[in-house]
Amino acid sequence: MAVVEGFQTIGVDSLTPHIGAEIDGVDLSQPLSNEQFSEVYQAWLDWKVVVFRDQHINQEQHKAFGRRFGSLHVHPMQHQYKGDPEVLRVKTTKDSAYTAGNGWHTDVTCDEIPPLGSMLYITETPESGGGDTLYADMYLAYELLSDKMKGILEGLTAVHDGALPYVTGYKSTPPESGAYPRNEHPIVVSHPETGKKVLYVNSGFTSHIKDLAGWESKAILDALFNHIATSPRLTCRVDWQPNTLTFWDNRCTQHHAIWDYWPNNRYGERVSILGNERPAA
Ligand code: SIN
């Protein structure tokens, strides 16, 4: 880790040169001062994934921290669970048929306006070790494409379908009110705050590219998904300790939970924050 200079009210140590940083000097059980909040916000925009260790918070404190960034999101699969609709439980045991997020994805891109960020608070880590999460930098994923490929992708739109992970992957049933969300987003979007270009397709939700033959769409998406899955330089790795909270910018990252710890348990709770605008080129 390397110390990042320029912060007065928090400590910031980077995990890699471009993605991931640990923040210290912050107690998330207490309201952050305006100065601390704006430095945390800046560190989150700069590093895309920020990690807070040794935090002791309850659900209300977790949600209160989330609300500093916007209104809270209710997950489309939440109708299946009891409990607070704004808190998504991430629980894996020896009896689990799957573990949430065990594949590269950006959260809930099937929504018209996907969450701008998610905060996962892990309180139980596997006794065996393991259970890390990988995060990938989608600014860098875009930058590493050739100019020719960037030219091909400009102007293309992809469909993001909630049925893909939730029905096909997790075998869940849609809410009674209708099907899981399905929406279209440009393949290359601009981050609404930094203005930087982002490669915005993910193997979790993106079903196909509009206006192309099926084989053309499949060839391009497979190539892009491969680029993400086979480029370790895009990533940082969060090794969870109990009582770690990680907050990622969902507009410019993907993540992959690693289920390498069966039959051990892992438990956490996630709060996501509603986005403010549709992803746009
Ligand atoms: C998720 O996709 O939000 C779950 C990530 C994790 O459990 O590490």
Side-chain angles (χ1 to χ4, degrees):
M1 291 204 292
V3 174
V4 180
E5 304 291 345
F7 293 91
Q8 270 72 52
T9 62
I10 59 174
V12 180
D13 292 279
S14 60
L15 300 180
T16 75
H18 60 96
I19 183 170
E22 289 205 10
I23 294 188
D24 61 28
V26 174
D27 177 358
L28 298 179
S29 70
Q30 305 296 320
L32 269 55
S33 66
N34 288 340
E35 292 74 19
Q36 267 199 331
F37 175 71
S38 72
E39 291 207 327
V40 167
Y41 199 100
Q42 192 58 51
W44 171 66
L45 281 182
D46 292 347
W47 293 96
K48 304 141 209 135
V49 176
V50 287
V51 181
F52 302 85
R53 301 283 184 193
D54 200 22
Q55 299 294 325
H56 298 271
I57 54 173
N58 58 32
Q59 281 190 353
E60 285 314 311
Q61 290 160 335
H62 189 173
K63 291 190 340 176
F65 182 47
R67 280 203 196 92
R68 290 294 295 264
F69 296 82
S71 307
L72 301 187
H73 175 261
V74 174
H75 195 276
M77 270 178 75
Q78 198 58 281
H79 64 284
Q80 303 210 146
Y81 310 119
K82 296 196 180 71
D84 189 324
E86 292 172 333
V87 178
L88 183 76
R89 290 187 313 147
V90 174
K91 179 177 181 179
T92 307
T93 70
K94 70 175 178 21
D95 300 319
S96 298
Y98 63 84
T99 196
N102 182 21
W104 282 112
H105 67 287
T106 301
D107 290 333
V108 203
T109 57
C110 56
D111 273 3
E112 185 179 1
I113 305 184
L116 64 83
S118 293
M119 298 176 168
L120 178 61
Y121 178 49
I122 293 283
T123 48
E124 181 181 359
T125 53
E127 274 181 27
S128 52
D132 294 353
T133 305
L134 293 171
Y135 291 88
D137 178 346
M138 289 300 111
Y139 296 135
L140 184 57
Y142 175 76
E143 280 166 31
L144 292 178
L145 299 173
S146 65
D147 288 343
K148 290 274 186 212
M149 180 52 85
K150 286 176 184 162
I152 291 170
L153 299 181
E154 287 295 338
L156 291 179
T157 298
V159 176
H160 296 240
D161 189 349
L164 210 59
Y166 306 144
V167 179
T168 313
Y170 298 167
K171 311 281 181 245
S172 80
T173 43
E176 276 172 24
S177 54
Y180 282 120
R182 190 174 196 259
N183 280 284
E184 297 172 3
H185 306 299
I187 290 190
V188 178
V189 302
S190 298
H191 190 288
E193 294 187 77
T194 66
K196 288 167 65 177
K197 289 193 176 188
V198 175
L199 178 60
Y200 200 69
V201 288
N202 68 88
S203 57
F205 288 96
T206 313
S207 59
H208 63 281
I209 302 173
K210 273 181 65 181
D211 304 325
L212 295 187
W215 68 267
E216 294 170 333
S217 160
K218 184 170 178 341
I220 294 177
L221 285 179
D222 283 351
L224 295 175
F225 297 158
N226 256 337
H227 169 47
I228 294 155
T230 61
S231 302
R233 67 181 282 196
L234 299 176
T235 67
C236 71
R237 184 170 183 134
V238 172
D239 61 323
W240 301 91
Q241 308 296 324
N243 307 314
T244 300
L245 183 142
T246 297
F247 178 30
W248 58 91
D249 187 339
N250 197 49
R251 301 164 296 184
C252 57
T253 60
Q254 298 197 14
H255 54 284
H256 185 320
I258 304 173
W259 194 10
D260 55 359
Y261 51 89
W262 188 89
N264 292 278
N265 300 337
R266 179 175 180 270
Y267 182 78
E269 295 183 346
R270 194 180 92 189
V271 164
S272 295
I273 298 112
L274 281 174
N276 302 319
E277 50 203 291
R278 287 193 74 138

